[in-house]
Amino acid sequence: MTTIVLFHSAQGLRPGVHSFADQLRAAGHTVHTPDFFDGNVFDDLNDGVAYRDQLGIPEIARRGQAAVEDLPNDVVYGGFSLGTGPAQLLAQTRPGARGALLFHGCLPTAAFGTPWPDSVPLTVHTMADDPWVDLAVARGLVDEAKDGELCAYPGSGHLFLDPDLADYDKDAAELVLERVLVFIGRL
């Protein structure tokens, strides 16, 4: 089926990322979950953000690129919050990307110095009132994509897909998975 790479949030490669990946695997997909935090996992988002700042965004981007060096080009790149940076970078700039799944965040295409490629479908999933996500940026990104969709769910939780975190929203998480499987199925 489809090969997918999922990059974790600033809280690290938590069980929630593995759980989401396992759900995609159960649907027949190959899913890679690289750890660009060297095993560091944080219960508190602010601690994870501090670690992100210690590493630096350029280093995180480098680690994301290194994580896919041995993979074929025709993969779907996905990311959770901080992980949307490497996912978007690769989907936007690595030739052959099949699609992008951006959860809890995204950046303007100008951050990577190139427009969104017409050949790469994109979907952004976020809570409508997430204080960490700029909906205007998300709308701009999906509008720039030839095949883009913004799915904004009611609420203000940030990492609402992780069942081990306070922001978890079971109904929204189930709908995200349903939509993601449809998205991947049409690639």
Side-chain angles (χ1 to χ4, degrees):
M1 302 263 311
T2 303
T3 299
I4 303 162
V5 178
L6 292 176
F7 292 103
H8 61 76
S9 76
Q11 289 187 251
L13 188 54
R14 299 181 50 81
V17 176
H18 290 295
S19 174
F20 194 83
D22 287 343
Q23 292 175 79
L24 296 176
R25 288 181 187 112
H29 304 290
T30 300
V31 184
H32 300 272
T33 54
D35 181 359
F36 54 85
F37 266 20
D38 300 320
N40 290 292
V41 176
F42 303 93
D43 290 327
D44 182 81
L45 181 57
N46 292 322
D47 293 339
V49 169
Y51 187 72
R52 173 206 68 189
D53 293 345
Q54 178 184 337
L55 287 176
I57 297 297
E59 176 61 13
I60 291 168
R62 188 199 66 73
R63 290 179 182 199
Q65 290 171 313
V68 301
E69 283 178 351
D70 295 331
L71 295 178
N73 288 349
D74 64 337
V75 304
V76 172
Y77 299 100
F80 301 94
S81 190
L82 173 65
T84 63
Q88 186 175 335
L89 168 67
L90 291 162
Q92 196 172 322
T93 65
R94 190 175 191 223
R98 288 190 66 189
L101 299 163
L102 305 179
F103 308 104
H104 327 297
C106 63
L107 297 164
T109 56
F112 305 111
T114 181
W116 191 264
D118 285 345
S119 62
V120 181
L122 158 74
T123 183
V124 177
H125 298 267
T126 185
M127 288 278 181
D129 297 313
D130 181 344
W132 289 83
V133 177
D134 185 335
L135 279 181
V137 169
R139 283 187 194 99
L141 177 62
V142 299
D143 287 348
E144 186 175 331
K146 183 176 180 182
D147 182 0
E149 180 180 20
L150 172 61
C151 299
Y153 305 87
S156 60
H158 184 54
L159 297 175
F160 67 94
L161 295 176
D162 190 325
D164 296 327
L165 296 175
D167 285 345
Y168 179 65
D169 184 311
K170 183 180 186 296
D171 293 336
E174 288 174 357
L175 185 53
V176 168
L177 179 63
E178 179 182 315
R179 288 175 170 170
V180 165
L181 291 174
V182 169
F183 175 83
I184 294 168
R186 67 181 177 82
L187 299 179

